[in-house]
Amino acid sequence: MHVQAPVVDRFREDVLAGLARVPKRVPPKYFYDERGSRLFEAICELPEYPITRVETALMQRHSEEMAACLGKDVWLIEYGSGNSRKSRLLLEALRPAVYMPIDISVEMLERTARELALRYPWLRIEAVWADYAEAWELPPVAAGARRVAYFPGSSIGNFDPEEARRFLASAARLVGAGGGMLIGIDLKRGVDRLTRAYDDPQGVTAQFNLNLLVRINRELQGDFVLERFRHVAFYNEARGRVEMHLQSITHQQVAVAGRRFGFFAGEAMHTENSYKYSVEEFEELARTAGFSPRRRWLAGEDPFAVLYLEAA
Ligand code: AVJ
């Protein structure tokens, strides 16, 4: 495993800085501790959350075509590999020279790498423990190979459009001219369906959101009382994004890592944005980042797209 150190100590810094801001906010990448990663897997199974199901169906239907498009002997670099469930379809069709999963959760990465090694004895795996949104370096072993990035799940939706552009530009540099990116994009659709996907009646998404406080309590000696916060999710049409917040039910003081922070009743801490695009909007964004859109695979039933972009 290739370890990129910054993952370890940023959490404290980011949480303390985020709690000191107005409005308060914590970056969504911190959802994914062990429990958070499991809760996210549970979200993916919810009838209200179509992304994973629809994208998996697309991958099933078109993996051969996608593989042909990506080409032979590629290094497949996956940003935020998680349980690599969707990647399996691609791995089987593509049989890449190397699979390089990158993830922020080391437990997830180790488990997934072990499972894949058992399932695909022919596959060379070079796992990277890193925060893909931060500066990280391609291990030198990858130099000279044809590289394709895989970024499924519409995870790019967590970035603001400007951050997304910078991220895509850095990915374009990383894969280099002639390399590419296969990316899953959740598309704009009706407000009601969007809201329900992030506020399911079973409350799994609420648990996922609140788990951030559980993690802060455990890892940063916090004293958040979960019952005093509530999960809020809504579609912000003007910005084209679903927002998640944790809203303080009462006026209260909270301690984290020896510091105190006040919340007034109704104050919201912003925990996530999930931007939704149209295919045209996204392809335009990709062009400004140095990619040429080459192919689209669109889901019929729910608006979702997998796009192949080639780095110029
Ligand atoms: C993993 C960022 C794609 O935004 O849909 C799911 C995370 N948050 N439910 C998304 C998430 C609440 C998910 N991404």
Side-chain angles (χ1 to χ4, degrees), residues 26-39:
V26 177
K29 63 188 173 194
Y30 295 119
F31 283 137
Y32 304 93
D33 64 354
E34 173 92 53
R35 177 162 178 266
S37 300
R38 290 196 181 280
L39 282 166

PDB file of all heavy atoms in Angstrom, residues 26-39:
ATOM      1  N   VAL A  26     -18.423  21.464   7.910  1.00  0.00           N
ATOM      2  CA  VAL A  26     -17.397  20.414   7.956  1.00  0.00           C
ATOM      3  C   VAL A  26     -17.397  19.735   6.594  1.00  0.00           C
ATOM      4  O   VAL A  26     -18.470  19.419   6.067  1.00  0.00           O
ATOM      5  CB  VAL A  26     -17.708  19.381   9.077  1.00  0.00           C
ATOM      6  CG1 VAL A  26     -16.700  18.251   9.080  1.00  0.00           C
ATOM      7  CG2 VAL A  26     -17.745  20.053  10.446  1.00  0.00           C
ATOM      8  N   PRO A  27     -16.230  19.511   5.990  1.00  0.00           N
ATOM      9  CA  PRO A  27     -16.194  18.896   4.652  1.00  0.00           C
ATOM     10  C   PRO A  27     -16.756  17.465   4.642  1.00  0.00           C
ATOM     11  O   PRO A  27     -16.507  16.705   5.578  1.00  0.00           O
ATOM     12  CB  PRO A  27     -14.700  18.864   4.296  1.00  0.00           C
ATOM     13  CG  PRO A  27     -14.034  19.783   5.265  1.00  0.00           C
ATOM     14  CD  PRO A  27     -14.894  19.860   6.474  1.00  0.00           C
ATOM     15  N   PRO A  28     -17.503  17.127   3.590  1.00  0.00           N
ATOM     16  CA  PRO A  28     -18.177  15.825   3.540  1.00  0.00           C
ATOM     17  C   PRO A  28     -17.231  14.621   3.503  1.00  0.00           C
ATOM     18  O   PRO A  28     -17.647  13.514   3.791  1.00  0.00           O
ATOM     19  CB  PRO A  28     -19.005  15.895   2.251  1.00  0.00           C
ATOM     20  CG  PRO A  28     -18.390  16.979   1.442  1.00  0.00           C
ATOM     21  CD  PRO A  28     -17.804  17.951   2.407  1.00  0.00           C
ATOM     22  N   LYS A  29     -15.971  14.847   3.154  1.00  0.00           N
ATOM     23  CA  LYS A  29     -15.071  13.678   3.096  1.00  0.00           C
ATOM     24  C   LYS A  29     -14.929  13.021   4.464  1.00  0.00           C
ATOM     25  O   LYS A  29     -14.592  11.840   4.554  1.00  0.00           O
ATOM     26  CB  LYS A  29     -13.703  14.069   2.547  1.00  0.00           C
ATOM     27  CG  LYS A  29     -12.960  15.058   3.394  1.00  0.00           C
ATOM     28  CD  LYS A  29     -11.713  15.511   2.670  1.00  0.00           C
ATOM     29  CE  LYS A  29     -11.020  16.628   3.417  1.00  0.00           C
ATOM     30  NZ  LYS A  29     -10.026  17.296   2.582  1.00  0.00           N
ATOM     31  N   TYR A  30     -15.238  13.747   5.531  1.00  0.00           N
ATOM     32  CA  TYR A  30     -15.090  13.161   6.870  1.00  0.00           C
ATOM     33  C   TYR A  30     -16.256  12.277   7.291  1.00  0.00           C
ATOM     34  O   TYR A  30     -16.259  11.725   8.381  1.00  0.00           O
ATOM     35  CB  TYR A  30     -14.821  14.263   7.898  1.00  0.00           C
ATOM     36  CG  TYR A  30     -13.498  14.934   7.630  1.00  0.00           C
ATOM     37  CD1 TYR A  30     -13.419  16.290   7.344  1.00  0.00           C
ATOM     38  CD2 TYR A  30     -12.330  14.187   7.613  1.00  0.00           C
ATOM     39  CE1 TYR A  30     -12.203  16.895   7.063  1.00  0.00           C
ATOM     40  CE2 TYR A  30     -11.107  14.774   7.325  1.00  0.00           C
ATOM     41  CZ  TYR A  30     -11.051  16.127   7.054  1.00  0.00           C
ATOM     42  OH  TYR A  30      -9.852  16.704   6.770  1.00  0.00           O
ATOM     43  N   PHE A  31     -17.246  12.107   6.430  1.00  0.00           N
ATOM     44  CA  PHE A  31     -18.312  11.147   6.711  1.00  0.00           C
ATOM     45  C   PHE A  31     -17.767   9.725   6.780  1.00  0.00           C
ATOM     46  O   PHE A  31     -18.323   8.878   7.446  1.00  0.00           O
ATOM     47  CB  PHE A  31     -19.348  11.158   5.568  1.00  0.00           C
ATOM     48  CG  PHE A  31     -20.294  12.319   5.593  1.00  0.00           C
ATOM     49  CD1 PHE A  31     -20.599  12.987   4.414  1.00  0.00           C
ATOM     50  CD2 PHE A  31     -20.906  12.728   6.770  1.00  0.00           C
ATOM     51  CE1 PHE A  31     -21.501  14.042   4.409  1.00  0.00           C
ATOM     52  CE2 PHE A  31     -21.813  13.782   6.770  1.00  0.00           C
ATOM     53  CZ  PHE A  31     -22.108  14.441   5.586  1.00  0.00           C
ATOM     54  N   TYR A  32     -16.686   9.477   6.053  1.00  0.00           N
ATOM     55  CA  TYR A  32     -16.319   8.093   5.750  1.00  0.00           C
ATOM     56  C   TYR A  32     -15.332   7.455   6.715  1.00  0.00           C
ATOM     57  O   TYR A  32     -14.267   7.011   6.318  1.00  0.00           O
ATOM     58  CB  TYR A  32     -15.836   7.978   4.300  1.00  0.00           C
ATOM     59  CG  TYR A  32     -16.889   8.495   3.346  1.00  0.00           C
ATOM     60  CD1 TYR A  32     -16.884   9.825   2.920  1.00  0.00           C
ATOM     61  CD2 TYR A  32     -17.933   7.677   2.933  1.00  0.00           C
ATOM     62  CE1 TYR A  32     -17.882  10.317   2.088  1.00  0.00           C
ATOM     63  CE2 TYR A  32     -18.929   8.164   2.094  1.00  0.00           C
ATOM     64  CZ  TYR A  32     -18.895   9.479   1.677  1.00  0.00           C
ATOM     65  OH  TYR A  32     -19.890   9.962   0.858  1.00  0.00           O
ATOM     66  N   ASP A  33     -15.693   7.417   8.007  1.00  0.00           N
ATOM     67  CA  ASP A  33     -14.956   6.511   8.892  1.00  0.00           C
ATOM     68  C   ASP A  33     -15.578   5.130   8.672  1.00  0.00           C
ATOM     69  O   ASP A  33     -16.405   4.949   7.776  1.00  0.00           O
ATOM     70  CB  ASP A  33     -15.021   7.001  10.355  1.00  0.00           C
ATOM     71  CG  ASP A  33     -16.432   6.998  10.924  1.00  0.00           C
ATOM     72  OD1 ASP A  33     -17.391   6.730  10.164  1.00  0.00           O
ATOM     73  OD2 ASP A  33     -16.589   7.266  12.125  1.00  0.00           O
ATOM     74  N   GLU A  34     -15.189   4.175   9.509  1.00  0.00           N
ATOM     75  CA  GLU A  34     -15.678   2.805   9.303  1.00  0.00           C
ATOM     76  C   GLU A  34     -17.219   2.763   9.282  1.00  0.00           C
ATOM     77  O   GLU A  34     -17.832   2.247   8.353  1.00  0.00           O
ATOM     78  CB  GLU A  34     -15.113   1.923  10.430  1.00  0.00           C
ATOM     79  CG  GLU A  34     -15.647   0.524  10.462  1.00  0.00           C
ATOM     80  CD  GLU A  34     -14.780  -0.446   9.664  1.00  0.00           C
ATOM     81  OE1 GLU A  34     -13.567  -0.478   9.925  1.00  0.00           O
ATOM     82  OE2 GLU A  34     -15.328  -1.163   8.809  1.00  0.00           O
ATOM     83  N   ARG A  35     -17.834   3.356  10.312  1.00  0.00           N
ATOM     84  CA  ARG A  35     -19.300   3.315  10.395  1.00  0.00           C
ATOM     85  C   ARG A  35     -19.927   4.137   9.271  1.00  0.00           C
ATOM     86  O   ARG A  35     -20.920   3.722   8.668  1.00  0.00           O
ATOM     87  CB  ARG A  35     -19.763   3.819  11.766  1.00  0.00           C
ATOM     88  CG  ARG A  35     -21.276   3.873  11.915  1.00  0.00           C
ATOM     89  CD  ARG A  35     -21.724   3.945  13.372  1.00  0.00           C
ATOM     90  NE  ARG A  35     -23.175   4.047  13.473  1.00  0.00           N
ATOM     91  CZ  ARG A  35     -23.857   5.198  13.570  1.00  0.00           C
ATOM     92  NH1 ARG A  35     -23.207   6.349  13.581  1.00  0.00           N
ATOM     93  NH2 ARG A  35     -25.174   5.194  13.670  1.00  0.00           N
ATOM     94  N   GLY A  36     -19.331   5.288   8.981  1.00  0.00           N
ATOM     95  CA  GLY A  36     -19.856   6.139   7.919  1.00  0.00           C
ATOM     96  C   GLY A  36     -19.812   5.441   6.567  1.00  0.00           C
ATOM     97  O   GLY A  36     -20.749   5.546   5.768  1.00  0.00           O
ATOM     98  N   SER A  37     -18.745   4.704   6.315  1.00  0.00           N
ATOM     99  CA  SER A  37     -18.639   3.981   5.042  1.00  0.00           C
ATOM    100  C   SER A  37     -19.722   2.911   4.953  1.00  0.00           C
ATOM    101  O   SER A  37     -20.306   2.693   3.891  1.00  0.00           O
ATOM    102  CB  SER A  37     -17.263   3.340   4.901  1.00  0.00           C
ATOM    103  OG  SER A  37     -16.261   4.333   4.940  1.00  0.00           O
ATOM    104  N   ARG A  38     -20.007   2.264   6.088  1.00  0.00           N
ATOM    105  CA  ARG A  38     -21.067   1.242   6.100  1.00  0.00           C
ATOM    106  C   ARG A  38     -22.437   1.884   5.919  1.00  0.00           C
ATOM    107  O   ARG A  38     -23.290   1.355   5.205  1.00  0.00           O
ATOM    108  CB  ARG A  38     -21.035   0.443   7.406  1.00  0.00           C
ATOM    109  CG  ARG A  38     -19.834  -0.451   7.471  1.00  0.00           C
ATOM    110  CD  ARG A  38     -19.954  -1.509   8.538  1.00  0.00           C
ATOM    111  NE  ARG A  38     -18.746  -2.320   8.551  1.00  0.00           N
ATOM    112  CZ  ARG A  38     -18.509  -3.307   7.697  1.00  0.00           C
ATOM    113  NH1 ARG A  38     -19.405  -3.621   6.784  1.00  0.00           N
ATOM    114  NH2 ARG A  38     -17.372  -3.976   7.761  1.00  0.00           N
ATOM    115  N   LEU A  39     -22.644   3.023   6.567  1.00  0.00           N
ATOM    116  CA  LEU A  39     -23.927   3.720   6.394  1.00  0.00           C
ATOM    117  C   LEU A  39     -24.100   4.175   4.955  1.00  0.00           C
ATOM    118  O   LEU A  39     -25.195   4.109   4.398  1.00  0.00           O
ATOM    119  CB  LEU A  39     -24.022   4.912   7.356  1.00  0.00           C
ATOM    120  CG  LEU A  39     -24.359   4.540   8.799  1.00  0.00           C
ATOM    121  CD1 LEU A  39     -24.095   5.712   9.738  1.00  0.00           C
ATOM    122  CD2 LEU A  39     -25.815   4.073   8.918  1.00  0.00           C
TER     123      LEU A  39
END
